[in-house]
Amino acid sequence: MSAFSGMKAKESAMGTGKTSKPSQLSGSLRGPVGGEFPGVKPAALDADLLRALDRREIEVLFQPQFSCRTGALVGAEALARWQHPSLGEIGARDLFAVAERAALVAPLSRHVVARALEDAASWPKELSVSLNITPEELGDPRFAADFAQVIAKSDIEPERLMLEITEDVLLRNLDQAASALRALRGLGFKTALDDFGAGFCNFRYLRELPLDAIKLDKIMVDDVPGDAKALAVLRAIIQLSKALDLAIYAEGIEDDVQRAAITAEGCDYWQGFLRAQPMKSDDVLALAATARGRGHG
């Protein structure tokens, strides 16, 4: 069976690197391969990961997502992290690098997606869940069928799931990626191109892939609205996305000025430390029940 879903972890898209602070998760699956730590033998870490899977030490947190129009909580992105007993918190890029080296990507992915689905099954039906797909998974011809089987056994409808892919997935095999996404989309899953603006911004992907949304990387909103060029680029990307009937998510929103700017320009959804840091499933439920979670205050 193929791997099902790789979860990335972010520091509100503020960069990469390892940190032991609970609220700051290390970098995304994009970028140089990690998985190495000073003074730690790779073989020992590989063995630690195998034990961690058995002990359920791999956690899933959720980064809440909000509607630009109403301010209400609309869903959350699943983020993986490993609470290593001696090294502290290990984010997803290093986690999946260790898993690849140890030939454990498939069991790790199954473990993480199972935990995410288990947690989110108790959420209100209107809340969606975003899952990140690794290059290895999307390159497996069996992935779409295997993933659909797993979801069919869960209590979450495909329509509530957003599958996120990054550009490195597409660089490996665009045709295979497009085929898998078409199959999944046909079953009701939504699809999004993640970290848009952080790589080459290949507009061919927007034309050829069966997408429902794009997620703007934090770099796309960092200097908005103060920098005229940054605002012009953001405005152009939003107009293009609207013309293609794509929903637009903005990542890494950290202040009200940014939030107001992206809303005024036509973004649909946002996530970032302005309103919520990555949290456990119970905290997502609690947030959804508050006035703030409903878009008030």
Side-chain angles (χ1 to χ4, degrees):
M1 181 177 290
S2 68
F4 299 135
S5 176
M7 307 294 172
K8 71 184 173 185
K10 300 180 179 178
E11 293 178 292
S12 185
M14 290 190 295
T16 62
K18 294 174 278 293
T19 174
S20 60
K21 296 180 181 179
S23 63
Q24 294 183 325
L25 307 181
S26 58
S28 77
L29 296 180
R30 235 182 343 96
V33 174
E36 297 183 1
F37 297 82
V40 180
K41 293 182 178 180
L45 197 58
D46 297 351
D48 285 347
L49 177 57
L50 184 59
R51 287 190 290 268
L53 289 170
D54 291 334
R55 298 171 181 172
R56 290 175 62 90
E57 291 175 359
I58 311 300
E59 298 181 326
V60 176
L61 297 185
F62 297 91
Q63 175 69 61
Q65 299 166 328
F66 301 92
S67 165
C68 288
R69 184 178 61 85
T70 68
L73 178 69
V74 295
E77 178 183 359
L79 310 172
R81 69 175 184 180
W82 178 9
Q83 290 294 353
H84 191 277
S86 60
L87 296 175
E89 184 175 298
I90 297 176
R93 189 182 69 180
D94 288 308
L95 172 57
F96 274 86
V98 173
E100 185 172 7
R101 186 176 62 216
L104 291 172
V105 170
L108 172 61
S109 295
R110 288 197 294 269
H111 171 88
V112 172
V113 76
R115 293 205 64 172
L117 294 175
E118 178 185 334
D119 288 345
S122 61
W123 294 2
K125 298 296 185 183
E126 63 269 18
L127 295 186
S128 64
V129 186
S130 293
L131 306 174
N132 292 272
I133 306 302
T134 65
E136 292 79 10
E137 291 168 318
L138 208 56
D140 186 337
R142 301 170 299 173
F143 169 70
D146 288 347
F147 188 84
Q149 287 182 352
V150 171
I151 301 304
K153 297 176 183 177
S154 76
D155 293 326
I156 294 185
E157 302 82 2
E159 292 77 11
R160 293 178 59 198
L161 296 178
M162 178 76 80
L163 308 182
E164 301 185 7
I165 60 172
T166 51
E167 195 172 41
D168 53 352
V169 172
L170 307 174
L171 290 173
R172 299 192 182 195
N173 191 331
L174 179 59
D175 291 339
Q176 170 60 33
S179 176
L181 290 178
R182 279 193 293 270
L184 290 166
R185 202 161 178 249
L187 296 172
F189 299 95
K190 294 182 175 64
T191 59
L193 183 58
D194 194 17
D195 295 338
F196 192 81
F200 295 108
C201 287
N202 192 328
F203 294 102
R204 177 188 174 195
Y205 301 149
L206 301 183
R207 185 185 67 190
E208 297 188 11
L209 293 173
L211 298 171
D212 296 283
I214 65 168
K215 295 188 71 178
L216 302 177
D217 189 82
K218 183 179 184 295
I219 196 172
M220 298 290 289
V221 299
D222 266 346
D223 298 318
V224 172
D227 185 288
K229 287 187 177 180
L231 182 59
V233 171
L234 174 67
R235 187 171 291 163
I237 295 300
I238 290 175
Q239 290 174 347
L240 174 61
S241 301
K242 294 295 184 182
L244 296 173
D245 198 28
L246 298 175
I248 306 159
Y249 290 72
E251 300 182 288
I253 301 302
E254 297 175 3
D255 60 57
D256 282 312
V257 174
Q258 283 183 326
R259 182 193 56 77
I262 63 162
T263 300
E265 295 302 328
C267 274
D268 300 296
Y269 309 102
W270 66 272
Q271 63 187 71
F273 282 10
L274 170 62
R275 186 169 293 177
Q277 296 187 8
M279 59 182 63
K280 294 185 178 182
S281 177
D282 288 345
D283 296 319
V284 174
L285 276 173
L287 176 60
T290 65
R292 186 179 62 167
R294 294 191 294 269
H296 308 293

